[in-house]
Amino acid sequence: MHEYYAYKNGNLKTRDKTYVWHPYTQMSDWLRMDAPVIVKGEGFYLIDDKGNRYLDGVASMWCNVWGHSRREIVDAIIEQVRVLQHSTLFGLCNEPSIVLAELLVKMAKGMGKVFYSDDGSTAMEVAIKMAIQYWHNKLGSSNKRREIIALEHGYHGDTVGAMSIGYIEHFFKPYQHLLFKVRHVPSPYLYRKGREMGDADYVQYCIDSLEHELKANEGRVAAVVMESGAQIAGGAIVYPDGYQREVSRLCKRYDTLLVLDEVATGLGRLGSMVEYIAQDSMPDIVAFGKMLTAGYLPLAATLASDEIFNAFLGRYEEGKHLFHGHTFTGNPIACACAVANLRLYEQEGLISKVKSSSALIARRLEEFRCYPIVGDVRHKGMLAAIELVKANGKDPLLTLSCRRINYAIMEEALKRGLFLRPLGHIMLLVPPLAIGREELDMLIDKALEVVGAIARLVE
Ligand SMILES: Cc1ncc(COP(=O)(O)O)c(C=O)c1O
């Protein structure tokens, strides 16, 4: 047998460093780091090759719902694997993709059709193409609606369209010349509003800025694109009450499409199954991903209203159909997994459990404020953020004795049997949605210890 098959025997850490290129990682730092090799997932814990257990404090990049190895989901995957592993939606149908689409349409008020892709970035690419082509199909040669408006601090993924819309300079500067033009307007990041005005006035300023763009470009805007409920990657910015409703109203008033990204915030993360319903807003197109398969398999979905879908109908020669598809679009294993997952949401009354866990987080989050390096704490549903700053100011705490703060947070957490992945100086707690009360308390205790350890190192 070749040595590379002997995965249980070799030195996995060394081989990782020799062969694997990790995402969003400075690999020269990585070579000096000592990240665990995870070999098993059990409930809310990840277990490494030495048997150490780590509480999964970021739901394996914000997607895990039930913890790891949940029997019903694993069984659904195995059952489907035995019957049909993959069959294309190019020219054929398959049962799990039909059942899932029906479930999603019944769940998402106002939506009529489901288009499948593999991850959140591609779901947003599809959403953008749908929005742009909708106007092209509808208005033909007189179409002038080609512009997109998006929010500052937004993030929609790493493909070229998604980077254009969710432009974060620090991430995407090298690719800037490849990106298409998007008009960005301020988002309601109240802690860093950068203007001498009260919170309510700032929210109004954000809304007015959007209206200004819509008015100045009347008849030319195809869509307003934004995350639904909160911007997570941009800093866990939770929208103030009424903000999204107002954006939705403006889109209707200016006859512009609203495209919402619920990849990270839908399906329970913010405490609601469908966040745009909770926000009293109505998109024309919406994307889901991450938690759709409980975090077990790659799958995403872009849902469109009937009005959008109908604009793609016509004679073949008109070329109105959506020119998009992936090899694994509607993969039956991933769809069967998602169906089992959504059924469990209902059977277990997950959303009401999330509400009580969320109340516990809200209560306990206040404990972080006693540290002078904690500038702000933000929370909604099963998302919490602790923004670390230089004591007695608002400057982000970016380094600690020449070490990047995110590395320091991760290392301090790992020492305590907790896996965290901060956004620079913003510590995120994004646990699996179904985390039990005991583990949730433990997560917050350990996170408090991490902040305490960092505060001592700062002194
Ligand atoms: C709001 C939002 N949209 C899209 C994406 C991209 O999803 P994926 O990483 O599955 O491509 C993310 C990922 O974090 C996200 O947070």
Side-chain angles (χ1 to χ4, degrees):
M1 187 160 79
H2 283 294
E3 200 226 333
Y4 51 76
Y5 287 124
Y7 61 92
K8 297 249 188 258
N9 304 324
N11 181 336
L12 288 170
K13 267 186 201 171
T14 309
R15 285 155 68 191
D16 173 273
K17 286 176 178 167
T18 310
Y19 299 116
V20 182
W21 192 340
H22 288 257
Y24 279 92
T25 300
Q26 176 41 257
M27 292 302 288
S28 56
D29 292 340
W30 181 260
L31 297 180
R32 292 190 291 272
M33 287 159 112
D34 190 27
V37 178
I38 301 303
V39 294
K40 194 174 173 186
E42 206 175 80
F44 303 106
Y45 288 89
L46 295 160
I47 302 168
D48 75 7
D49 55 348
K50 306 215 168 44
N52 298 312
R53 296 166 71 83
Y54 305 93
L55 192 55
D56 188 352
V58 288
S60 294
M61 282 324 281
W62 321 343
C63 60
N64 189 288
V65 175
W66 305 101
H68 300 271
S69 309
R70 174 77 188 221
R71 188 183 48 77
E72 292 89 331
I73 313 268
V74 174
D75 286 350
I77 294 172
I78 294 172
E79 211 172 295
Q80 184 59 44
V81 169
R82 288 210 174 96
V83 183
L84 175 67
Q85 305 73 44
H86 185 56
S87 161
T88 181
L89 291 198
F90 291 79
L92 294 171
C93 325
N94 71 63
E95 187 181 358
S97 73
I98 297 167
V99 176
L100 177 60
E102 191 174 1
L103 276 175
L104 289 173
V105 165
K106 288 187 174 154
M107 173 189 94
K109 181 178 99 181
M111 297 299 121
K113 288 283 186 298
V114 176
F115 192 98
Y116 292 112
S117 59
D118 309 340
D119 51 57
S121 309
T122 52
M124 286 308 294
E125 293 287 328
V126 173
I128 296 160
K129 285 174 72 173
M130 277 179 183
I132 293 295
Q133 197 179 337
Y134 166 80
W135 292 110
H136 173 87
N137 287 356
K138 198 170 138 142
L139 302 179
S141 57
S142 66
N143 177 33
K144 293 201 172 47
R145 289 192 176 267
R146 299 202 168 100
E147 306 259 349
I148 290 181
I149 299 179
L151 301 190
E152 288 167 4
H153 305 294
Y155 175 80
H156 301 283
D158 291 341
T159 48
V160 171
M163 286 193 291
S164 306
I165 291 180
Y167 185 71
I168 296 180
E169 170 132 323
H170 172 59
F171 293 171
F172 302 141
K173 201 162 184 213
Y175 324 110
Q176 198 175 19
H177 63 287
L178 296 178
L179 309 182
F180 54 78
K181 194 183 99 202
V182 170
R183 295 175 185 277
H184 285 99
V185 295
S187 81
Y189 191 175
L190 298 179
Y191 181 62
R192 295 198 180 276
K193 43 187 189 286
R195 285 182 172 245
E196 290 300 318
M197 49 172 73
D199 287 356
D201 287 344
Y202 190 70
V203 177
Q204 192 54 49
Y205 161 76
C206 292
I207 291 165
D208 291 346
S209 303
L210 173 61
E211 180 154 22
H212 174 80
E213 284 297 326
L214 287 166
K215 207 182 269 177
N217 297 287
E218 204 158 358
R220 292 198 299 275
V221 181
V224 172
V225 184
M226 65 186 224
E227 285 149 275
S228 187
Q231 298 175 303
I232 305 194
I237 301 157
V238 175
Y239 300 152
D241 284 348
Y243 168 75
Q244 188 164 316
R245 185 179 59 232
E246 205 52 32
V247 172
S248 176
R249 207 179 52 79
L250 284 178
C251 287
K252 292 282 167 297
R253 185 188 302 163
Y254 288 88
D255 192 22
T256 294
L257 302 181
L258 176 60
V259 175
L260 288 178
D261 180 345
E262 298 218 357
V263 167
T265 53
L267 305 178
R269 176 57 61 202
L270 297 186
S272 61
M273 196 64 189
V274 178
E275 183 59 19
Y276 71 77
I277 298 177
Q279 295 277 350
D280 193 16
S281 56
M282 183 46 76
D284 300 279
I285 301 169
V286 60
F288 296 97
K290 289 198 187 270
M291 285 160 294
L292 187 54
T293 57
Y296 287 15
L297 288 171
L299 179 72
T302 308
L303 277 63
S305 68
D306 288 334
E307 160 73 19
I308 298 292
F309 176 75
N310 289 339
F312 286 74
L313 302 177
R315 282 179 296 106
Y316 188 92
E317 311 77 72
E318 291 177 286
K320 285 186 168 178
H321 41 299
L322 180 63
F323 291 88
H324 196 100
H326 298 277
T327 306
F328 291 106
T329 290
N331 172 261
I333 306 171
C335 290
C337 171
V339 169
N341 178 38
L342 294 181
R343 285 202 178 123
L344 261 191
Y345 269 70
E346 209 168 281
Q347 282 162 19
E348 302 253 324
L350 182 64
I351 296 301
S352 54
K353 280 190 191 152
V354 159
K355 291 204 162 95
S356 65
S357 297
S358 166
L360 186 147
I361 297 176
R363 249 189 344 267
R364 294 224 43 207
L365 219 50
E366 289 308 306
E367 295 171 41
F368 286 88
R369 292 194 193 268
C370 67
Y371 295 103
I373 58 164
V374 173
D376 193 25
V377 293
R378 299 187 280 278
H379 158 247
K380 188 165 186 194
M382 301 299 279
L383 164 73
I386 298 113
E387 183 155 352
L388 303 184
V389 293
K390 292 181 184 161
N392 308 320
K394 273 193 169 185
D395 290 344
L397 181 63
L398 296 176
T399 54
L400 196 65
S401 327
C402 300
R403 245 189 334 161
R404 307 261 346 142
I405 191 72
N406 48 334
Y407 296 161
I409 293 171
M410 288 176 76
E411 282 164 18
E412 291 297 332
L414 285 174
K415 275 192 225 163
R416 293 166 172 82
L418 170 64
F419 175 63
L420 292 181
R421 174 84 181 177
L423 296 164
H425 67 293
I426 302 175
M427 191 165 140
L428 285 187
L429 307 181
V430 192
L433 299 183
I435 192 168
R437 201 195 151 95
E438 201 179 309
E439 287 95 350
L440 190 52
D441 266 323
M442 195 188 297
L443 167 65
I444 296 169
D445 289 343
K446 285 177 191 284
L448 278 162
E449 280 179 34
V450 170
V451 174
I454 287 173
R456 280 193 298 282
L457 290 169
V458 167
E459 281 161 14

